[in-house]
């Protein structure tokens, strides 16, 4: 009995030591921050979409209108500024990452309810390289993209611009894959999201 009480007292004194308390609080804060970051990305509804058709925007030379299959027999129109970086032939039947719950935007008279994720970096003084975030052809449209496979949750109905800005700040390229806070983004069946040709720490938006 004395031994058990003695051990308990030692444990209590150790826990009450200021440095031990600081270390414990720091670890808890770190764990909560990582959890918050994972949940932050998973608030977004990002799914795999397959580009079915590509059209020129009727009122903008630099924009495309993309008809994208996002699963469940649902096709959406995305207004995209990819015309300076991809031909229509390159985009046709490509699997891309589609963000579904951002605030809709009207671009030169046409509303785009979704956005396509892409990476970018400056390769010369006045030149920007843009690479779409993509997955192999065998991944089905509508497949969800998450920060961690074991931490899937329902997306929020709408991600506001303030929250999206926080998410974008933590998105980057690592080993030609899309990462969020140093976690590789994956589909729910474990397929990583690729950005081939961009260097580490290139931005994603």
């Amino acid at each position: 009995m004395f031994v058990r009480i003695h051990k308990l007292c030692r444990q209590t004194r150790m826990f009450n030591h200021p440095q031990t308390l600081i270390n414990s609080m720091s670890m808890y804060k770190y764990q909560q921050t990582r959890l918050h970051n994972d949940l932050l990305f998973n608030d977004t509804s990002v799914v795999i979409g397959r580009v079915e058709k590509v059209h020129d925007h009727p009122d903008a030379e630099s924009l495309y209108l993309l008809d994208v299959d996002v699963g469940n027999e649902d096709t959406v129109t995305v207004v995209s500024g990819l015309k300076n970086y991809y031909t229509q032939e390159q985009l046709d039947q490509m699997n891309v990452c589609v963000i579904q719950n951002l605030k809709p935007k009207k671009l030169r008279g046409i509303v785009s309810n979704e956005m396509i994720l892409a990476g970018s970096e400056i390769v010369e003084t006045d030149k920007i390289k843009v690479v779409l975030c993509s997955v192999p052809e065998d991944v089905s449209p509508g497949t969800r993209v998450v920060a961690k496979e074991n931490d899937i949750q329902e997306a929020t109905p709408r991600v506001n611009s303030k929250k999206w800005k926080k998410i974008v700040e933590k998105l980057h390229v690592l080993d030609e894959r899309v990462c969020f806070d140093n976690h590789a983004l994956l589909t729910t069946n474990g397929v990583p999201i690729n950005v081939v040709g961009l260097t580490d720490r290139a931005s994603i938006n």
Side-chain angles (χ1 to χ4, degrees), residues 119-123 129 131 172-177 195-204:
S120 63
E121 64 181 346
I122 298 175
V123 291
K129 183 177 183 179
V131 178
H172 60 89
V173 177
L174 182 63
D175 295 330
E176 296 191 326
R177 293 182 175 175
V195 270
V196 179
L198 292 184
T199 58
D200 288 356
R201 311 311 298 185
S203 61
I204 301 290

Side-chain angles (χ1 to χ4, degrees), residues 41-56:
F41 179 82
N42 290 343
D43 270 347
T44 63
S45 177
V46 181
V47 300
I48 301 304
R50 182 167 297 148
V51 179
E52 298 289 348
K53 292 181 182 179
V54 184
H55 314 274
D56 292 329

Side-chain angles (χ1 to χ4, degrees), residues 43-112:
D43 270 347
T44 63
S45 177
V46 181
V47 300
I48 301 304
R50 182 167 297 148
V51 179
E52 298 289 348
K53 292 181 182 179
V54 184
H55 314 274
D56 292 329
H57 192 295
D59 297 316
E61 293 184 358
S62 62
L63 299 178
Y64 280 138
L65 302 181
L66 309 179
D67 293 339
V68 184
D69 175 8
V70 291
N72 297 319
E73 300 182 355
D74 189 15
T75 300
V76 298
T77 298
V78 180
V79 182
S80 180
L82 292 169
K83 204 167 186 179
N84 293 330
Y85 309 102
Y86 285 86
T87 65
Q88 293 191 18
E89 291 73 23
Q90 288 174 319
L91 291 171
D92 186 42
Q93 301 305 307
M94 189 176 186
N95 271 358
V96 295
C97 295
V98 180
I99 310 168
Q100 297 184 301
N101 59 343
L102 297 179
K103 184 179 179 179
K105 274 190 174 182
K106 182 178 282 190
L107 299 172
R108 298 297 292 270
I110 297 179
V111 175
S112 183

